[in-house]
Structure formats: structure tokens, C-alpha cells
């Protein structure tokens, strides 16, 4: 997939090369949507389907409301129309971290997403990848796989999902620093079309913030400790993936 980076975005990248990052654009059924350009005010860039995120810095407190859609997470007035069952591609800046899971969430907006803050037990996973092979320190993680794919990730919106407006949330949980997890979430607003009639049950739903706690051993983790040497398993926190 080829896509262009605007001059403003290129300038933003040039000034933040030592930082981390986030989702810069999306592709749905071959149509590309640029994301919000961090380090630039909303007034100085085109409107986008993506909610505002202001810097490449991580969220490090899982109890903050910025865990939902980053800081400041301001709602957009736009949505992308996407058919249920479609593939979703997300494009990051060149991602620097190889250790940690990739998780893709959705949430049904009770009305227009432009007036929904994402609160409540409304979030469900449609995709995730944790430790795919090997050990905690040297194995292939979801984020390593993302890097191998030129900092892109492709997921599928469940075909049975009912029509309506939804938030799409991509999340990277970087755990390369001992006992200091880093979350990188971004949200886009979608209008899903189709004739689906299934919805995730309560067992698949979670609140953000709420799904992660620093008391979780998979969150407050030192992958380099003697205890974790040679460990080949990792459980991604939260509910199971809902595939419809």
C-alpha cells in the first residue's frame, strides 16, 4: 500500500524523531484517510476521522481517561463509512519498539460518535497479537511483527457486526522497560454498514480505563528478571477477541 505524507506531517516527523509515535493514517477498502497530525493544533490542519492526539508520548497511568483515545482525545466531526467484514489497515510512523502486544478494539457509539466519550463497558477486541513465538526477551511480539510489516497492521471488522457508528481503537502496549508499561492508543470514528445482527456479549466487553491495572502481572512486568528468563508465554490483559 502506497500513501503520501503531507508536508505538515513530514515536518512533524522531523521534529519528533527521538520520540515514540502512533497511527498516522488508515486504509479501508483501498481508500486512505489521514489521521490527526500531532504537535499541530486542530485549527491548523484538515478535519480527520481520527480523534485528536497531541504528542508521540505514551500514556503511563492506566487509570487516566486519556487511555481511551490518547491526549487530548477530542472528538472528530467526521466518520469513515466502512462495510462490516472489511479489512482495516493502520499505518504508524516507523515504530521503534519490538516488545509488547498489539490490540485493536471497537466500541459502539450510542448515537453519533462525535458526541460519545467512550465511557462504560463498551469496548471489545477484534484483533490482538502478543508473544507470537520465542521468549519474552528475544521472541517475536505483535509489535515486532508490526515493524516487520513496515509499521502497518491489518485487521478485519467482524462481518456480523450491526450497522451504526463505532470507535476503532488501535493500541500498542510497550513493555520493554522494566515495570514501566507504555500505552499508545489512537481512535478513529467509523460508520459501519451491512446487515449484521450480532453484538458482543458482556463477557467480551471492558471499560477503558479499567481493563488495565498496575497490579496486573502482565502490566507491571520485568521481562528481564531471573524469574522471566526463558518464559515463552504471555497473556494479554482483557477479554478475548470477539470475531462475531
Amino acid at each position: 500500500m502506497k500513501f503520501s505524507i503531507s508536508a505538515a506531517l513530514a515536518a512533524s516527523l522531523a521534529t519528533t524523531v527521538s520520540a515514540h509515535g502512533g497511527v498516522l493514517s488508515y486504509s479501508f477498502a483501498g481508500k486512505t484517510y489521514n489521521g490527526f497530525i500531532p504537535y499541530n493544533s486542530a485549527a491548523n490542519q484538515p478535519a480527520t476521522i481520527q480523534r485528536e492526539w497531541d504528542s508521540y508520548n505514551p500514556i503511563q497511568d492506566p487509570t487516566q481517561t486519556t487511555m481511551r483515545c490518547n491526549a487530548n482525545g477530542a472528538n472528530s466531526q467526521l466518520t469513515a463509512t466502512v462495510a462490516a467484514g472489511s479489512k482495516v489497515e493502520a499505518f504508524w510512523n516507523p515504530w521503534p519498539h519490538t516488545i509488547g502486544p498489539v490490540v485493536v478494539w471497537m466500541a459502539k457509539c450510542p448515537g453519533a460518535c462525535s458526541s460519545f466519550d467512550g465511557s462504560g463497558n463498551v469496548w471489545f477486541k477484534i484483533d490482538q497479537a502478543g508473544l507470537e513465538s520465542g521468549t519474552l526477551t528475544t521472541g517475536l511480539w505483535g509489535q515486532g511483527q508490526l515493524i516487520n510489516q513496515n509499521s502497518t497492521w491489518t485487521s478485519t471488522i467482524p462481518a456480523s457486526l450491526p450497522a451504526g457508528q463505532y470507535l476503532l481503537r488501535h493500541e500498542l502496549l510497550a513493555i520493554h522497560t522494566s515495570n514501566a508499561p507504555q500505552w499508545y492508543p489512537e481512535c478513529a470514528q467509523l460508520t459501519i454498514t451491512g446487515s449484521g445482527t450480532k453484538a458482543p456479549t458482556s463477557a467480551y466487553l471492558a471499560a477503558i480505563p479499567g481493563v488495565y491495572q498496575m497490579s496486573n502481572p502482565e502490566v507491571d512486568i520485568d521481562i528481564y528478571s531471573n524469574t522471566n528468563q526463558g518464559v515463552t508465554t504471555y497473556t494479554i490483559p482483557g477479554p478475548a477477541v470477539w470475531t462475531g
Side-chain angles (χ1 to χ4, degrees), residues 105-132:
W105 301 78
M106 294 185 72
K108 179 75 165 65
C109 299
C113 283
S114 59
S115 58
F116 179 50
D117 65 0
S119 59
N121 290 317
V122 296
W123 293 95
F124 56 97
K125 296 176 181 177
I126 64 166
D127 192 13
Q128 65 180 14
L131 182 59
E132 299 295 283

Side-chain angles (χ1 to χ4, degrees), residues 206-217:
I208 302 175
V211 68
Y212 296 106
Q213 303 292 333
M214 282 304 297
S215 58
N216 297 146

Side-chain angles (χ1 to χ4, degrees), residues 48-51 73-80 107-118 164-167 188-191:
T48 171
I49 64 168
Q50 192 181 54
R51 294 197 167 185
N75 300 5
S76 172
Q77 298 301 309
L78 302 181
T79 66
K108 179 75 165 65
C109 299
C113 283
S114 59
S115 58
F116 179 50
D117 65 0
Q165 291 201 4
Y166 291 81
L167 294 175
Q189 299 179 176
L190 308 182
T191 297

Side-chain angles (χ1 to χ4, degrees), residues 20 60 97 99 174-182 184 219-224:
H20 312 271
Q60 295 183 279
H97 305 308
I99 297 176
I175 54 173
H176 59 283
T177 302
S178 299
N179 308 108
Q182 302 175 3
Y184 300 86
V219 171
D220 185 20
I221 186 172
D222 178 2
I223 64 170
Y224 312 104

Side-chain angles (χ1 to χ4, degrees), residues 1 10 19 40 58-59 63 85 101 104 109 120 130 147 157 174 182 188 199 204 206 211:
M1 172 65 64
N40 290 269
I59 310 298
T63 67
V104 184
C109 299
I147 291 171
I157 295 174
Q182 302 175 3
Y204 291 95
V211 68

Side-chain angles (χ1 to χ4, degrees), residues 142-167:
Q143 287 178 50
Q145 185 176 338
L146 181 144
I147 291 171
N148 292 343
Q149 298 167 173
N150 295 319
S151 297
T152 70
W153 196 263
T154 302
S155 307
T156 301
I157 295 174
S160 58
L161 196 66
Q165 291 201 4
Y166 291 81
L167 294 175

